Amino acid sequence: MEGQAYNKYQRKELELKALLEITQAINENQPESVLLNIFKFTCLVHLEIKAMILYVAKEGEFEKKIAHGVKGKIPSVLLSGQVIDHKESGELRLDLPGDFSFSELETYLPVYHKEKLLALLFLRRKSDQVELDLDFTQAIANILVVALENKRFARRQIQQEILNREVAIASQVQQMLFPSDLPNTRELKVKVTYFPHSMVGGDYYDLIRKSKEKVYFCVADVSGKGIAAALLMSNFQAALRTLLRSDASLEVILHQLNYTLFENTKGERFITFFLGEYDFVKKRLRYVNAGHNPPILCWEKAGKTELLEAGTTILGAFEHLPFLEMGERQGLDSFTIHLYTDGLTETLNPSDEEFGEERLQNFVFSHMCMDPDQFHLEFFKEIEAFKGPIPLRDDLTFMSLRFS
């Protein structure tokens, strides 16, 4: 009797020591590998366990973290659908291929936290005469697994914070790419409304006054969203501005932009693009539309509108542009051009109906000679009334230029 009492006391002392070791390691924020080794040592030395496997839940599956003393073939991962644990009855069923087996192991312990199955521990005693303290084993396994889960959660938080910082930086850089000051003179007045779908968008607009005689303006939309789209657009802007400084023609600019984009993305990403050039002395507009929504040109004296469609296909889809048609209009001295991205025309209302190009063209025609600031104020009242509570599903850019 005294021997049994002593053994029981000694066992409790070992359990307390094991508990102290693992909690101390957790408090010291030791790496996952250290925590797993302490748990493994505790089970094998202090708890009279000969063989063990520990699976820990991770994103829809259970990943093998510890395997000791098992000769048979066991999977490195258990899919959630392969694990059926009846918590009430204590029965476990594993749907595994025929070449896997857990027959060497005599018992299992599920580890739950707030009704969520976090881990599975499979065990075999050193001998039939040894009585396992399953309550303590389950308790210490629970402490370990919750600590691992907390570590994973902390890593995700840090990764999310890093991503948020990167997105914020990308957003700031992207805002710097847009022109900081838009003309507001009698000769030229420009108004832009831009709503990114997220912190960083795939839309781009620009206005470059190269000389007193010439001004260039453009709008573009890169396929995709997020940081990748923003980075591609920043590279595109850098290439465009370099080409504009080189006195290259619009034809050369388009071919070079397409080739650079294709080389960078291997045809996997593309950009729709509209580039216009206005000569104040010659009163001439030259333009090229690369698969973009056609801007609307308003001839104020004639009281008519037209779509600027001449150009080519989207940039980046082909190594060489298959065709290129330049657009040109002469004798323009008092006119307005409205450029936009498809986020505007694809705005949805509660009936899942798009705003569409026809509504846009009708609004432009009925507000032909309006000041750009006032035009945007009235137009976005119209958009808000149309879409109601439905959020935008894409970046939206609207750029209006009034020459007079």
Side-chain angles (χ1 to χ4, degrees):
M1 289 290 292
E2 287 182 10
Q4 289 181 350
Y6 176 77
N7 288 338
K8 190 174 181 181
Y9 171 79
Q10 188 180 43
R11 187 172 182 178
K12 289 298 178 186
E13 190 175 28
L14 290 173
E15 288 178 354
L16 185 61
K17 183 180 178 183
L19 186 61
L20 185 62
E21 283 180 4
I22 196 163
T23 52
Q24 186 176 350
I26 291 168
N27 291 334
E28 291 174 354
N29 198 27
Q30 294 286 352
E32 179 180 296
S33 59
V34 173
L35 298 182
L36 289 169
N37 279 333
I38 291 174
F39 177 75
K40 178 181 173 182
F41 177 82
T42 298
C43 290
L44 298 177
V45 176
H46 299 326
L47 303 181
E48 302 291 339
I49 290 170
K50 184 176 182 180
M52 61 184 293
I53 308 171
L54 175 67
Y55 287 95
V56 177
K58 181 183 178 183
E59 298 173 0
E61 60 187 27
F62 291 85
E63 183 181 9
K64 184 179 68 180
K65 293 291 186 180
I66 298 174
H68 179 85
V70 181
K71 297 178 182 178
K73 187 178 179 182
I74 56 171
S76 58
V77 170
L78 297 175
L79 301 178
S80 293
Q82 295 174 324
V83 178
I84 298 97
D85 180 55
H86 299 284
K87 189 177 180 183
E88 294 78 12
S89 63
E91 294 180 7
L92 174 72
R93 195 176 87 233
L94 298 176
D95 278 336
L96 300 178
D99 53 344
F100 293 120
S101 173
F102 286 80
S103 58
E104 296 176 60
L105 301 158
E106 59 184 332
T107 189
Y108 88 99
L109 291 173
V111 179
Y112 280 90
H113 183 66
K114 296 180 180 178
E115 301 301 317
K116 181 182 178 183
L117 183 61
L118 293 185
L120 290 166
L121 178 62
F122 298 89
L123 304 169
R124 188 175 83 240
R125 295 172 291 174
K126 286 184 177 179
S127 71
D128 294 341
Q129 284 72 42
V130 173
E131 183 182 351
L132 289 178
D133 189 342
L134 295 180
D135 290 337
F136 178 77
T137 306
Q138 192 166 38
I140 201 168
N142 193 284
I143 291 170
L144 167 75
V145 171
V146 170
L148 296 181
E149 181 78 1
N150 289 339
K151 276 183 171 293
R152 194 154 58 91
F153 178 73
R155 281 197 301 270
R156 283 202 305 266
Q157 276 193 314
I158 292 170
Q159 290 167 355
Q160 188 61 48
E161 287 171 8
I162 292 171
L163 178 60
N164 290 342
R165 255 196 322 269
E166 290 176 349
V167 169
I169 292 169
S171 178
Q172 291 171 3
V173 170
Q174 189 176 47
Q175 291 301 319
M176 292 167 64
L177 298 178
F178 297 131
S180 55
D181 296 309
L182 295 171
N184 186 13
T185 65
R186 182 179 177 184
E187 183 182 53
L188 172 61
K189 185 167 185 177
V190 180
K191 172 68 177 176
V192 175
T193 301
Y194 170 60
F195 296 120
H197 181 261
S198 57
M199 285 187 71
V200 288
D203 283 5
Y204 163 58
Y205 65 89
D206 213 342
L207 185 134
I208 301 105
R209 187 72 183 257
K210 188 172 180 180
S211 65
K212 188 176 180 181
E213 292 81 21
K214 282 187 180 180
V215 63
Y216 293 91
F217 51 93
C218 69
V219 66
D221 186 0
V222 63
S223 60
K225 297 181 178 68
I227 293 178
L231 289 174
L232 185 59
M233 194 57 80
S234 65
N235 290 336
F236 182 81
Q237 187 229 37
L240 172 62
R241 291 202 165 201
T242 300
L243 289 166
L244 289 176
R245 283 195 296 269
S246 69
D247 290 325
S249 66
L250 293 188
E251 294 91 336
V252 170
I253 289 173
L254 261 290
H255 281 295
Q256 188 58 51
L257 286 173
N258 177 73
Y259 180 77
T260 301
L261 185 61
F262 184 85
E263 281 291 294
N264 288 339
T265 67
K266 307 304 178 189
E268 294 180 0
R269 303 293 289 270
F270 62 85
I271 291 177
T272 66
F273 177 57
F274 178 92
L275 176 63
E277 172 201 81
Y278 182 68
D279 190 312
F280 288 90
V281 176
K282 296 179 180 179
K283 301 186 186 303
R284 182 188 68 190
L285 170 69
R286 299 187 75 237
Y287 69 90
V288 59
N289 188 336
H292 196 77
N293 305 85
I296 305 173
L297 171 63
C298 303
W299 299 70
E300 295 180 3
K301 290 182 179 178
K304 67 176 185 178
T305 63
E306 69 167 307
L307 302 179
L308 302 179
E309 298 178 302
T312 184
T313 186
I314 55 178
L315 303 182
F318 304 98
E319 186 174 3
H320 302 287
L321 291 174
F323 60 92
L324 180 59
E325 175 191 3
M326 300 306 302
E328 185 172 313
R329 298 293 180 270
Q330 300 277 0
L332 288 172
D333 57 0
S334 183
F335 64 100
T336 301
I337 298 180
H338 299 289
L339 304 91
Y340 61 96
T341 56
D342 57 12
L344 188 152
T345 50
E346 292 177 1
T347 298
L348 295 176
N349 67 8
S351 301
D352 212 27
E353 179 184 11
E354 291 187 348
F355 187 79
E357 293 184 356
E358 186 176 348
R359 284 189 180 87
L360 172 61
Q361 292 169 28
N362 290 338
F363 187 92
V364 169
F365 187 78
S366 61
H367 297 75
M368 183 82 72
C369 302
M370 185 176 283
D371 174 86
D373 285 340
Q374 187 63 31
F375 180 92
H376 278 234
L377 184 65
E378 296 296 326
F379 178 75
F380 281 96
K381 283 182 183 176
E382 184 93 354
I383 285 284
E384 285 298 322
F386 173 81
K387 76 180 189 67
I390 307 301
L392 295 173
R393 58 177 180 172
D394 198 0
D395 306 320
L396 187 159
T397 302
F398 194 27
M399 182 180 190
S400 301
L401 303 94
R402 181 173 171 81
F403 296 83
S404 58

